[in-house]
Amino acid sequence: NSGQALLNKIADIHYRIQLEQNTKSIRKSPFELNLLLENCINSFRLPAETKNIELILQVQPDIPAVVKGDEYRLRQIIIQLIENAIKHTEQGEVLVKLWKNATDNDIVYFSVHDTGRGIARDKIANLTQPSASLTTTEKTLGLNTVTELLAQLKSELLIDSIEGEGSTFSFSLSF
């Protein structure tokens, strides 16, 4: 709902201030990965339904139920990516997907795919670049936050998009 969206924005601003002041350290503690993802998705059910967007969570069966990592950073990453996907999708779906590769047992791969308007190839690189401009779009600010958080977790954001068909934002984390 809109109250939850406002709380997410306030938390994001507070978190960005802490990042800039280098006062936020990485906390590795056990948490339920599925529960975190379900809560993130559920907080966007209403905005998705009002736009006739189906929110889908797809978790490969061998993903561990409990992982040890920075739950707060992962929540912020997932929230930003889902929020961007819904904002830039007029209809269709937003798919949050988790999987493991048989050769990298400790690594979990995450992706958020939308059937939105997509991004021109020549604009993708600029989406995650910091900007001092006051005209920076919210999408860029959100992706800057995601990029910063992933860098702290020793990962990076990969973007694949086709204009008019949608975008996929993905990353991997070691647990």
Side-chain angles (χ1 to χ4, degrees):
N1 63 26
S2 59
Q4 183 63 45
L6 180 59
L7 287 175
N8 290 342
K9 285 290 184 193
I10 291 169
D12 183 49
I13 292 167
H14 181 257
Y15 190 80
R16 288 182 63 81
I17 290 168
Q18 287 181 323
L19 284 176
E20 290 170 8
Q21 296 173 346
N22 291 323
T23 60
K24 192 79 173 164
S25 60
I26 293 177
R27 285 185 238 139
K28 287 196 169 211
S29 56
F31 66 93
E32 293 182 46
L33 187 54
N34 268 346
L35 182 62
L36 178 140
L37 295 167
E38 288 170 8
N39 287 339
C40 288
I41 285 180
N42 287 336
S43 69
F44 289 99
R45 289 269 179 225
L46 185 59
E49 287 173 7
T50 60
K51 292 179 79 175
N52 202 26
I53 297 170
E54 184 178 5
L55 276 176
I56 304 165
L57 175 59
Q58 190 177 80
V59 180
Q60 188 175 314
D62 62 345
I63 299 294
V66 176
V67 296
K68 188 173 182 181
D70 193 318
E71 180 180 8
Y72 180 81
R73 280 181 171 84
L74 181 56
R75 179 182 297 110
Q76 290 304 312
I77 291 164
I78 298 296
I79 284 171
Q80 286 291 334
L81 293 176
I82 293 172
E83 183 176 33
N84 283 339
I86 291 171
K87 184 187 310 180
H88 298 284
T89 301
E90 294 306 316
Q91 62 181 350
E93 68 182 35
V94 171
L95 169 65
V96 178
K97 185 175 176 182
L98 274 74
W99 72 97
K100 289 175 80 174
N101 192 334
T103 58
D104 300 321
N105 206 23
D106 293 337
I107 298 175
V108 176
Y109 297 88
F110 297 78
S111 70
V112 177
H113 172 78
D114 65 62
T115 56
R117 60 181 173 233
I119 306 160
R121 290 250 180 246
D122 61 331
K123 298 198 186 310
I124 289 175
N126 296 332
L127 288 176
T128 57
Q129 298 303 312
S131 173
S133 168
L134 293 176
T135 61
T136 304
T137 64
E138 285 182 42
K139 183 168 187 171
T140 302
L141 286 173
L143 293 179
N144 283 340
T145 301
V146 168
T147 301
E148 290 172 16
L149 294 171
L150 285 171
Q152 292 171 11
L153 297 173
K154 305 204 181 339
S155 186
E156 64 181 319
L157 183 65
L158 304 174
I159 304 171
D160 185 35
S161 187
I162 299 173
E163 240 179 320
E165 293 185 27
S167 303
T168 302
F169 297 85
S170 58
F171 61 94
S172 62
L173 292 175
S174 241
F175 291 108

